[in-house]
Amino acid sequence: MQKVYIYKGFERFWHWSQAALIFFLALTGFEVHGSFSLFGYEQAVESHRFAAWMLLTLIAFSIFWHFTTGEWKQYIPTFSKLQAQIRYYTLGIFKGEPHPTRKSVRNKLNPLQALTYLGFKLVMAPLLVITGLVYMYYRSIDANDMVIVSDIPLNVIAFLHTLGAYLILMFAIIHIYMTTTGETPTSNIKAMLTGYENLEEDEPEENLYESEFSDIPKK
Ligand code: HEM
């Protein structure tokens, strides 16, 4: 095994601040929904809106980062080993079989991860962001008589937004479980905190470090 710098500074900052914001948005959002009382309704509404703007800012920076670094390519789904990966998580993992795919700097995500994270970025996040913004501006948009809102009642917007919230919570629970299936139960979480992960030693050096990521320090 060799220690490889796999998650860059911005990537780790983005990952953990996104996780914290989603957790806080779920907490305040479900209070607005009426599931429990914690901050008080008014405070929950205000905090939810504030955190939503922080998340939107973070999303804007992360989109910029993904495209300028070329990291967006990590999310292109590959189907060749998808079945093997599903078989591993449903059967092989319980028999102590080895992971069917190898991790490298260029290829950080296994086929199932790439597909799921792509769904997160292209379906779940836009569903929450779009319905959230329409929800936020429902009254002002309605005052201007824009067709979009007079055609869609507020309870439908609220339902779709809550559906997005349930989907993202399901994702978070499965995601946290999956992080424990690495080399040790905490190795993946440690990697996302420090940036470094132990990767297979017989992996050729050029597969671990791509030229487009030439600023990556070796350890
Ligand atoms: C950019 C992202 C988001 C925006 C713009 C947004 C916006 C809003 C708005 C405007 C409301 C109505 C309450 C209010 O007037 O403030 C609301 C409610 C809610 N939000 Fe969000 N939100 C976002 C992200 C999230 C996330 C990530 C979650 C959960 C993980 C979430 C869960 C909820 C829930 C459960 C409600 C209550 C829906 C209802 O029953 O009426 N939101 N959101």
Side-chain angles (χ1 to χ4, degrees):
M1 288 288 189
Q2 53 184 315
K3 229 175 180 190
V4 180
Y5 189 60
I6 191 164
Y7 300 117
K8 278 137 271 170
F10 177 79
E11 196 169 13
R12 286 175 281 140
F13 163 76
W14 157 67
H15 175 270
W16 291 113
S17 42
Q18 177 171 269
L21 282 170
I22 289 175
F23 175 75
F24 186 70
L25 282 161
L27 208 62
T28 49
F30 279 102
E31 173 151 13
V32 173
H33 188 64
S35 307
F36 50 80
S37 182
L38 184 67
F39 304 100
Y41 182 80
E42 296 292 319
Q43 184 60 51
V45 166
E46 209 167 299
S47 308
H48 192 81
R49 287 180 178 223
F50 184 73
W53 282 115
M54 287 177 73
L55 183 63
L56 286 170
T57 312
L58 187 67
I59 289 174
F61 278 102
S62 80
I63 290 174
F64 181 78
W65 179 84
H66 275 90
F67 283 106
T68 51
T69 57
E71 286 277 344
W72 66 273
K73 291 179 203 146
Q74 303 262 4
Y75 302 89
I76 300 171
T78 49
F79 297 97
S80 64
K81 285 199 172 167
L82 187 63
Q83 216 178 334
Q85 197 68 48
I86 295 171
R87 195 204 158 272
Y88 173 73
Y89 283 127
T90 49
L91 284 170
I93 194 170
F94 302 108
K95 295 185 196 162
E97 285 175 15
H99 278 266
T101 48
R102 284 259 187 92
K103 208 181 208 175
S104 70
V105 173
R106 187 175 42 135
N107 230 332
K108 286 189 272 210
L109 309 173
N110 69 49
L112 196 58
Q113 277 176 316
L115 196 64
T116 321
Y117 297 171
L118 194 69
F120 180 97
K121 284 168 194 290
L122 297 184
V123 181
M124 273 182 263
L127 177 66
L128 270 164
V129 168
I130 294 166
T131 54
L133 285 173
V134 174
Y135 207 150
M136 208 181 265
Y137 288 107
Y138 191 81
R139 281 218 182 88
S140 48
I141 297 174
D142 205 28
N144 292 329
D145 242 1
M146 273 179 68
V147 179
I148 177 172
V149 178
S150 51
D151 279 355
I152 312 168
L154 186 57
N155 62 346
V156 174
I157 304 291
F159 172 79
L160 292 174
H161 193 69
T162 311
L163 178 72
Y166 276 113
L167 287 178
I168 226 156
L169 285 185
M170 269 169 56
F171 169 86
I173 292 165
I174 297 169
H175 181 66
I176 293 166
Y177 161 68
M178 291 302 217
T179 64
T180 65
T181 62
E183 195 195 343
T184 70
T186 54
S187 60
N188 283 339
I189 295 177
K190 278 190 193 139
M192 196 42 102
L193 283 168
T194 63
Y196 287 92
E197 180 150 1
N198 284 332
L199 299 182
E200 306 266 341
E201 216 164 73
D202 57 348
E203 187 79 1
E205 189 98 327
E206 59 274 21
N207 283 1
L208 297 173
Y209 298 98
E210 266 288 277
S211 54
E212 60 185 299
F213 303 120
S214 53
D215 59 329
I216 298 163
K218 292 183 188 181
K219 211 182 177 190

